C-alpha cells in the first residue's frame, strides 16, 4: 500500500514537472519568435523590409515549428505558416499596408497561442 502511494506521488510529481517544463519551452519559443516578427513589423512600417528579412524570420519559424508540433495543434501551426507566407508575398510586391496587417496578425498569434496552453482557469473548463 505504501509503495503504491509513493508511486502515485512520484508519477504526479514527474507529470507536474514535465508540464511546467513544457509550458516554459512553449513560452520561451514563442517569445523569441514574437521578437523576430516585431522586428519585421518595424522594418515593414519604416519601409526598409526586404523579402530576405521575412524569409529569415520564416526560416526561424520553420526551425522552431518542428518541435512545436509535439506540443501544439497542427491547425495553429498551419495558420501561422499561411500568414507568414502571405507576408512574404506582400513585401515582395511592395504592398506595405497589407503586409503590416498580416505581420500584425502573426505577432498576435505569437502572443495568443501560448496562452491557450497555459495553466489558466479558462483552459481547464
Amino acid at each position: 500500500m505504501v509503495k503504491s502511494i509513493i508511486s502515485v506521488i512520484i508519477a504526479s510529481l514527474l507529470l507536474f514537472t514535465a508540464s511546467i517544463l513544457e509550458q516554459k519551452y512553449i513560452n520561451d519559443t514563442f517569445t523569441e519568435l514574437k521578437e523576430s516578427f516585431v522586428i519585421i513589423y518595424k522594418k515593414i512600417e519604416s519601409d526598409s523590409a526586404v523579402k530576405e528579412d521575412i524569409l529569415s524570420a520564416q526560416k526561424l519559424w520553420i526551425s522552431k515549428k518542428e518541435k512545436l508540433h509535439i506540443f501544439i495543434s497542427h491547425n495553429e501551426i498551419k495558420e501561422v505558416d499561411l500568414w507568414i507566407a502571405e507576408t512574404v508575398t506582400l513585401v515582395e510586391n511592395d504592398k506595405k499596408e497589407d503586409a503590416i496587417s498580416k505581420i500584425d496578425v502573426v505577432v498576435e498569434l505569437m502572443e495568443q497561442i501560448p496562452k491557450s496552453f497555459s495553466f489558466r482557469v479558462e483552459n481547464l473548463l
Side-chain angles (χ1 to χ4, degrees):
M1 179 71 169
V2 173
K3 286 183 182 181
S4 295
I5 293 173
I6 291 173
S7 296
V8 169
I9 291 171
I10 289 173
S12 297
L13 288 173
L14 287 173
L15 184 61
F16 182 72
T17 302
S19 298
I20 290 173
L21 292 174
E22 174 194 27
Q23 185 63 47
K24 181 174 175 15
Y25 175 76
I26 290 172
N27 285 334
D28 291 349
T29 301
F30 276 99
T31 298
E32 179 185 354
L33 288 165
K34 180 184 171 196
E35 289 171 0
S36 72
F37 285 103
V38 166
I39 291 168
I40 299 299
Y41 180 91
K42 290 176 183 176
K43 283 187 171 189
I44 294 171
E45 204 171 38
S46 67
D47 250 353
S48 63
V50 293
K51 181 180 177 183
E52 287 72 28
D53 294 329
I54 312 295
L55 289 175
S56 69
Q58 186 179 37
K59 284 180 185 176
L60 176 64
W61 163 249
I62 290 169
S63 71
K64 300 291 183 182
K65 82 174 184 175
E66 291 174 1
K67 292 180 184 150
L68 288 172
H69 269 292
I70 298 168
F71 305 110
I72 65 174
S73 84
H74 300 298
N75 289 338
E76 290 176 344
I77 289 175
K78 181 96 171 161
E79 188 174 354
V80 173
D81 283 339
L82 293 173
W83 286 101
I84 294 171
E86 287 181 36
T87 304
V88 170
T89 303
L90 291 168
V91 166
E92 185 178 28
N93 294 328
D94 293 324
K95 296 184 177 180
K96 176 184 169 184
E97 294 302 319
D98 292 336
I100 286 175
S101 66
K102 299 293 182 184
I103 203 71
D104 192 33
V105 172
V106 172
V107 171
E108 185 65 24
L109 286 170
M110 297 296 161
E111 281 182 26
Q112 297 304 319
I113 290 173
K115 289 179 183 176
S116 63
F117 295 94
S118 65
F119 295 114
R120 299 165 58 145
V121 174
E122 59 265 23
N123 291 341
L124 298 175
L125 302 175

